[in-house]
Amino acid sequence: MTVQQYNQCVKEFADRLYRFALKNVSDSDLAQDFVQDAFERLWMRVDTVDYQRVKSYLFRTIVNFQIDRARRQKLQQQHLSGLPDPVQTQGVHHDVQKCIDEGVAKLSEIQRMVLTLRDYEGYSYQEIAELTDISVDQVKVYIFRARRFLKQYIGKMEVLI
Amino acid sequence: MKPNEAHIAHLILAFQDGTITSSEKAQLDALILAYPEYAQDLAGIQLPINTDVAYSGPSLAYPQFEKLTVYATEDGHPYEKLAIAQLEGLLTNEEALLDKSLAQDQLYHDIKQKVKLTKLTPNAKIVYPYQAGLLKEAKVRSLPLKKYLYWTSAAAAVFISVLSVQQNAPDPYSKQQNNHALVGKKESTTIVVEQTSQAKTVPNSINKQVVISHPHIVGSEPRDCIVAVQDPKVNDLQYVYSKSEVCYKNKEYDQDLSTTSENTVLPAPNQTPLPTFRKEPITVKAFLIQKTNERLFGTTAPTADLRYETMARYASQTIGLPVRYEVESGAAADKIIFQLGPISIERSRTKK
């Protein structure tokens, strides 16, 4: 991959990667770090990465970052299990989009990941399976459960509003 | 805090009338949990069952969904499965027809609307703020260590192979030694001939080796590992040069040969016959010491003086201080001078 192609990748995918990471980690600083690290890795392997597959390479990198982060968080939660969860908030929903965002935040890590890959980037089940190292059937099930949860969450929120 | 009596009465009456809402039911459950004495009041209450009331909602039987294959293993209402599968584009032809047939169903319509809302759309206003910092202008600036490693290993392999080839290559000295051995053999055969024809043929190799001086021999001293054996018969040979057989490198002999006929008996050249060598097995340690001495001092068995002089010279060149070791020969005794910077030590050594 040439430098021009690398720069083209930055222009094309930086924002999309950032949105994807932000949706999954809900932390702008962390999402920015993920994007920066992903492109740093790409730059270090710029000679070996195929330009045609650079998109999946970048998203794969971000997915791996998220998986690592989820594992770390799990360990931290085990240590802090006695403390109250400071993230848990009950906000007032002014519109459906916020309600959906909240619902997405309540999804499990893997469900959120496959759903954002599906909806944000339009990846097929097969591609998502390759990116996340799970089977196609599992992808299908995760997406179904995520949508069902969101649909029910929207219904509950409508009642509350 | 305990709720007031009026509210408790309202909850109990609502429960008795069957008009209690879900939130009121939750409050009542919490109240009974906190104050179990109210449970006794509720124990005698029997909810009236109005048999005239009938369910008027949409049909709860879905025979048309019996053949629904999508998400078959998952829990959920068939409408949900159908709506999600429709959004995901997983419907078969039959299921697509079913989806169309339910277009007028209000419940399915509502579920479908909600499922559509679960389709996430990226917010285009969210952009990565440091995109310019990611752009590169130069070629890769990181060191391609792997590449260097490959080249280094390749160079090392070539270097080692060259070294091994050099080590396996025939040593000119040993070649000469072999030639000497050949000389011995040829001479022995020649001597046999001499007894019958009184003419001695000089083997080719002798003339060739007259001009050879081995680089390892310092002065007249051969290496320790090589023992010089002089064949006494070599001096007694009369040499017969055959033009057809001998290939000379020595110009003097070329000139002589140009005028001589074949098998001309010539006087023996005025030369010191070369010693013949034979190898003796030595230990690895001794061999290494020999090689080291050759490298350091130019000879296999350096004297103590030579060692000290060389080391002193090396030290003076290396550390920059005047270091000197010198032996001045005298008539009866040698004077040894050792100097290290401003300090100078002189010793006399009686000659043996």
Side-chain angles (χ1 to χ4, degrees):
Chain A
M1 193 167 65
T2 63
V3 177
Q4 287 79 15
Q5 286 173 331
Y6 169 84
N7 287 335
Q8 184 61 33
C9 290
V10 171
K11 288 171 187 169
E12 192 174 347
F13 297 123
D15 293 339
R16 292 162 69 174
L17 284 169
Y18 179 59
R19 282 179 212 130
F20 171 69
L22 186 62
K23 195 71 176 176
N24 279 280
V25 300
S26 303
D27 183 342
S28 60
D29 291 336
L30 193 59
Q32 286 170 14
D33 287 348
F34 280 0
V35 175
Q36 190 173 1
D37 290 348
F39 277 104
E40 189 181 338
R41 281 195 183 186
L42 175 64
W43 180 245
M44 289 172 75
R45 294 167 177 80
V46 71
D47 289 333
T48 54
V49 175
D50 184 13
Y51 180 63
Q52 302 300 324
R53 299 182 60 82
V54 72
K55 183 187 172 188
S56 59
Y57 176 85
L58 287 168
F59 276 95
R60 173 71 182 237
T61 309
I62 298 280
V63 165
N64 288 339
F65 287 158
Q66 288 171 8
I67 291 170
D68 291 344
R69 174 181 164 272
R71 284 178 185 154
R72 283 198 301 272
Q73 271 191 338
K74 198 175 178 182
L75 284 174
Q76 285 173 354
Q77 280 173 357
Q78 283 175 357
H79 291 296
L80 304 172
S81 55
L83 300 175
D85 186 8
V87 182
Q88 201 171 13
T89 54
Q90 290 292 333
V92 179
H93 303 280
H94 298 293
D95 54 20
V96 178
Q97 188 57 48
K98 276 193 177 178
C99 176
I100 291 171
D101 288 344
E102 237 179 56
V104 169
K106 289 181 185 301
L107 290 173
S108 71
E109 193 82 24
I110 187 69
Q111 286 179 5
R112 187 165 55 240
M113 202 182 294
V114 294
L115 191 66
T116 45
L117 283 172
R118 176 79 175 159
D119 288 349
Y120 276 23
E121 297 302 322
Y123 276 121
S124 67
Y125 289 139
Q126 181 66 40
E127 288 169 330
I128 295 170
E130 286 171 5
L131 282 174
T132 53
D133 279 338
I134 54 178
S135 68
V136 175
D137 289 337
Q138 276 180 311
V139 172
K140 204 184 287 185
V141 166
Y142 280 139
I143 288 176
F144 170 76
R145 289 178 183 172
R147 291 207 190 285
R148 187 161 172 258
F149 173 83
L150 286 178
K151 180 239 159 199
Q152 289 173 348
Y153 192 80
I154 294 166
K156 283 180 187 173
M157 290 302 113
E158 279 181 348
V159 170
L160 285 177
I161 291 166
Chain B
M1 194 179 78
K2 191 175 179 180
N4 58 37
E5 294 293 330
H7 186 63
I8 294 170
H10 166 73
L11 289 177
I12 292 173
L13 287 172
F15 179 75
Q16 190 178 13
D17 295 342
T19 57
I20 192 167
T21 63
S22 58
S23 61
E24 286 172 342
K25 178 72 168 58
Q27 289 176 22
L28 187 62
D29 288 342
L31 182 72
I32 290 168
L33 199 64
Y35 306 100
E37 61 267 23
Y38 290 109
Q40 295 173 359
D41 297 337
L42 294 170
I45 299 174
Q46 285 187 347
L47 290 175
I49 299 170
N50 189 354
T51 52
D52 297 334
V53 178
Y55 176 69
S56 59
S59 172
L60 297 175
Y62 302 101
Q64 68 272 37
F65 292 111
E66 283 178 0
K67 291 181 181 177
L68 192 67
T69 56
V70 68
Y71 304 128
T73 57
E74 290 297 303
D75 295 332
H77 195 281
Y79 280 5
E80 279 181 341
K81 291 182 182 179
L82 197 65
I84 293 173
Q86 195 268 337
L87 184 70
E88 291 292 317
L90 297 174
L91 293 180
T92 60
N93 291 336
E94 290 181 4
E95 288 162 350
L97 288 173
L98 186 61
D99 175 61
K100 280 183 183 176
S101 68
L102 291 170
Q104 303 302 319
D105 192 325
Q106 186 60 37
L107 181 62
Y108 180 65
H109 181 73
D110 292 344
I111 289 174
K112 213 171 169 182
Q113 289 298 319
K114 283 182 183 173
V115 168
K116 270 186 183 173
L117 289 174
T118 65
K119 178 89 177 171
L120 305 178
T121 49
N123 187 354
K125 291 177 184 174
I126 298 173
V127 291
Y128 182 64
Y130 307 111
Q131 195 184 102
L134 294 174
L135 297 172
K136 306 286 182 187
E137 292 178 357
K139 193 69 181 169
V140 181
R141 287 176 292 185
S142 59
L143 278 174
L145 291 176
K146 274 188 183 175
K147 199 174 167 184
Y148 286 136
L149 194 66
Y150 294 149
W151 280 109
T152 309
S153 55
V158 170
F159 182 69
I160 289 168
S161 61
V162 168
L163 272 183
S164 62
V165 166
Q166 281 185 348
Q167 283 178 352
N168 294 331
D171 187 8
Y173 186 61
S174 61
K175 191 176 180 181
Q176 183 186 0
Q177 192 179 336
N178 292 335
N179 287 340
H180 280 295
L182 276 176
V183 168
K185 282 183 182 176
K186 286 185 179 178
E187 281 166 0
S188 62
T189 54
T190 309
I191 287 165
V192 173
V193 175
E194 177 200 7
Q195 289 173 348
T196 55
S197 64
Q198 298 297 319
K200 305 177 184 77
T201 304
V202 174
N204 306 345
S205 52
I206 284 187
N207 280 316
K208 287 180 184 174
Q209 289 159 9
V210 168
V211 293
I212 294 172
S213 62
H214 196 276
H216 292 314
I217 298 176
V218 179
S220 59
E221 186 183 15
R223 291 198 302 189
D224 288 353
C225 59
I226 304 298
V227 178
V229 178
Q230 187 172 341
D231 193 339
K233 293 176 183 175
V234 173
N235 286 333
D236 301 333
L237 293 174
Q238 285 186 344
Y239 298 97
V240 175
Y241 296 96
S242 172
K243 193 178 180 181
S244 59
E245 293 177 359
V246 180
C247 178
Y248 296 97
K249 287 186 179 178
N250 195 324
K251 288 180 180 177
E252 290 178 21
Y253 290 128
D254 285 342
Q255 288 169 0
D256 292 342
L257 283 169
S258 62
T259 55
T260 54
S261 60
E262 289 190 358
N263 295 330
T264 307
V265 177
L266 294 175
N270 187 17
Q271 63 181 21
T272 306
L274 279 176
T276 52
F277 299 99
R278 63 185 168 83
K279 281 185 177 177
E280 278 188 355
I282 59 170
T283 61
V284 175
K285 183 183 173 185
F287 177 76
L288 288 175
I289 290 172
Q290 280 187 15
K291 284 289 178 188
T292 309
N293 285 337
E294 279 182 9
R295 295 279 180 193
L296 293 177
F297 307 112
T299 177
T300 54
T303 60
D305 290 338
L306 182 60
R307 287 175 194 269
Y308 294 145
E309 281 177 19
T310 309
M311 287 163 67
R313 191 165 53 249
Y314 177 75
S316 66
Q317 289 170 358
T318 312
I319 62 178
L321 282 174
V323 182
R324 186 164 64 98
Y325 181 91
E326 200 172 327
V327 180
E328 292 179 358
S329 305
D334 292 338
K335 188 178 175 185
I336 302 168
I337 304 165
F338 178 70
Q339 183 191 354
L340 177 62
I343 305 166
S344 181
I345 301 169
E346 292 185 5
R347 283 181 59 197
S348 62
R349 185 173 61 191
T350 311
K351 282 189 174 177
K352 291 180 182 175

